[in-house]
Every structure is written in structure tokens, then in C-alpha cells.
Amino acid sequence: MEMKDYIFSSESVSEGHPDKVCDQISDAILDAFIEKDVKAGIADDSLVNTRLGCETLCTTNKIVVAGEGRGQLFRMIDGKSVVDRELITEIARGVVKDIGYNQNGFSYHGADVEVLLHGQSPDIAMGVNAKKKKGEEQEGAGDQGMMFGFACRETEELMPLPIAMAHRLARRLADVRRAGVVPYLRPDGKAMVTVAYEGHVPVRLDTVLISAQHREEVDVETLLKPDIEAEVVDPILREFAEIDVSEATVIVNPTGRFEIGGPKADTGLTGRKIIVDTYGGMAPHGGGAFSGKDPTKVDRSAAYMARYVAKNVVAAGLADRCQLQVAYAIGTAHPVSMMVETFGTEHADPDAIVDAVRELFDFRPAAIIRDLRLARPIYRETAAYGHFGRKEFPWEATDRVDDLRRAVV
């Protein structure tokens, strides 16, 4: 089938976006749970004791943390599992401070923090907790659902170009604010990138859109737009020499002023930026968010594993594009299904690629946690600028390339 030409857009948001504020709080709390369990000697790189599903809501001068869990940050009082509320409050305020919110309407010291975390349901725990079966530990999936992983050759990090560029623009927007290069910026902001494709190949940057929160005295046309183009857009476009950017349209703050932003302007929720977190819409999404969830929850860990596999398949030269879907039933260790799609870009027998994936990669939750070293406090760093395409995360390693090549010969 002949591939059509098309134009495709992806967006990213800054760390100060209300939804991302919530994601970072939820993941910072998860890290605190894991760190406490590690220090207590009941968790290590391959064994996670923490169970947590932590949701955060932010609005005008209000932060609500809710959910359920298990771990050393809970203690039993009168037969009930009670969390350390003061520590949770301190963590939430610390995240907001680090992001830079100290404004009328939402500040790290002025926002009221309400903590509604409680113990995990025993019905869920019964299915998830490790069981012995034929002498081997079998840890059940924390929920049912399907997850996707994706990789392609559009960028060095094997990510789709539009989301890779959008993440870099959003991070740059925060960097120049933090460094004082553009001192009148405030934490909220967004970036969107539109790219023209010929088949599966990106050939031209069509549009860059930046929305940046700013102080009230700033003139958008004479100050903000020139500064954003010079200090944010141009440096990032120079990093993408492989694509034509010469005729790209740059749009800055298309509605005009953006003075009121963050949770004062728009209520934030954990898990509402799942496309930003993954592949910018270039690949399907199973619907499960990541932040605030411990790695027994396959919404998170299996999505990381699927990316790990897809990236290794592409890095091994077996295909130029690879998408993997995996699905689980709650409380069971092995996936109920797995699918590998290479979109006609494969350089090896597709059946051999599928067989190699099944042979080399263990998708049981306990094995994923072990192999990707997920029982560590690494999650707050994932909660802004994407969970994929960043070499600091273990699921981005391409250490199974040689194994895959040998397996398909």
C-alpha cells in the first residue's frame, strides 16, 4: 500500500502546567514511599513493597492528595492504616516550590493541602501480592488493561519527531525562566509542533506554537514574542538539522496575554496528560495514566517494558517502526495477549521478530520490576517532559540489540 503524505501535530506542556504540577506531586509522594521502604530493608532494585495509587488535584490555593496504598509511610492506629499527613503535605509544598509557584492564587506556602490517602483494598492486595507457584515467585498485575510501546527512526532517541521537538521546546521554556534569561516568564506554558510527512518520513517543520505565561507588564508583540523566538525556538530548531525548518511558522501566545495561569486559572489533575507522557498521539494509548502508580500497576510498568522492547527492535535494525501491545488480567502474572506491529518497515521475517520478543523478554510484573530496576525512587523525574526518549531511564537502554539479532538469524 502506498503511503500518503500528511501533516501531524504533537504537544508538550511545561512543568508548571496544572496537570503536570499534579503528576509531579503524585510521583514525588510515590518516591517517598519507595525510599522509606528501601531504607527499612523491605525493598530493593527488584522487590517493591510499596503499593500506591496517588491522585492529586490542584486549584486556586488548594491541593488535594487522595488515593490508597501500603508501605512504611502508613502506620496502624486503632486498627486503621493511617498515612504520615505532615510528610505528604511537606512533599506537595516542596514540589510546588521547586516548580516556581509563589504567586497570588497559588503558592507553595499559601495553598491549603488536604491529604486523603488510605490503606489499599485487601481485595486488590490479595491478587497482586507475590505468590509461590512451583517454587517461582509470581506477582500478579495490579489491574486489567492494555498498554502500548512504540519506537521509530525519526530521531536519535528513536521517538516521533513532533513529540521529541515539543518536549525540548517545553523544557527550554522552563530553563530560560529558571536561569533568568527571560526573567518575566512564569511557570505555566505549552508547546505544539506540526510536521509534514512523506510516508513515514518527516520532511518539513510546518508550525511551532508556544504559549508562555508572563508577568502582567509584558507586551506580547514587542517583547515576549521576539524573546521566545530567540531564546526558546531558535536554539531548539538548530538541534534538528535533519529536517527543513526554513519555512516554519512560529506562533507565540495566539490569544494575546497569558498573565493568569497555573492552578489559579485551570484546575489540574494527575493523569490528564497521557498523550504528552507517551508518543504525542503517534501511537495508540491503552488509557491508563502513569504518575502516582507503583510499578506493580502494569499501566505504568508494562508500558515502560513495551517501549523497551520496541526501542530494542528498532535499534537492532529489525524494523524502522515498531509498535507493541500487551494486555493483562488483574492478579495474573502472564499477559493475556501480545501483538507486535512493524508497519511494513521490517528488515527481518515478522514472525521471527515476534518469536524473538516472546523468547527474550519476560512480561510478568515481577520480572519487569527486576529487569528494569523499577523498585527505586526514580519517578518524579518522569512526571514532566515525557516518560520516553530520555536516556536517564532504564527502559530506554538498548542492551538487548545483539540478543535480538541473534534470535532472528
Side-chain angles (χ1 to χ4, degrees), residues 307-380:
R307 163 64 178 174
Y308 177 59
V309 173
K311 186 175 183 181
N312 274 270
V313 168
V314 173
L318 304 184
D320 294 334
R321 295 168 74 88
C322 181
Q323 177 178 294
L324 187 142
Q325 187 210 51
V326 62
Y328 291 85
I330 188 170
T332 63
H334 291 278
V336 299
S337 72
M338 182 183 297
M339 181 274 291
V340 180
E341 172 64 67
T342 52
F343 306 97
T345 69
E346 63 274 0
H347 302 291
D349 180 7
D351 291 336
I353 296 174
V354 174
D355 291 343
V357 168
R358 292 182 180 276
E359 175 188 349
L360 295 173
F361 298 95
D362 191 339
F363 273 83
R364 294 173 301 164
I368 295 173
I369 292 168
R370 177 199 67 213
D371 294 343
L372 297 183
R373 298 176 291 120
L374 298 182
R376 298 178 296 141
I378 61 174
Y379 295 102
R380 181 179 170 183

Side-chain angles (χ1 to χ4, degrees), residues 69-81:
R70 181 191 81 187
Q72 293 296 297
L73 289 185
F74 282 97
R75 60 187 184 274
M76 297 302 295
I77 298 179
D78 297 330
K80 293 183 178 181
S81 185

Side-chain angles (χ1 to χ4, degrees), residues 167-215:
H167 282 323
R168 293 192 204 179
L169 287 164
R171 185 185 287 274
R172 177 76 180 177
L173 188 63
D175 288 345
V176 298
R177 170 180 62 87
R178 289 177 174 278
V181 175
V182 186
Y184 53 79
L185 291 179
R186 286 178 168 168
D188 202 353
K190 295 183 178 183
M192 189 166 71
V193 171
T194 301
V195 174
Y197 281 78
E198 294 179 359
H200 287 312
V201 180
V203 294
R204 177 176 55 83
L205 180 63
D206 185 86
T207 305
V208 172
L209 168 60
I210 303 289
S211 293
Q213 187 191 12
H214 56 84
R215 293 205 303 255

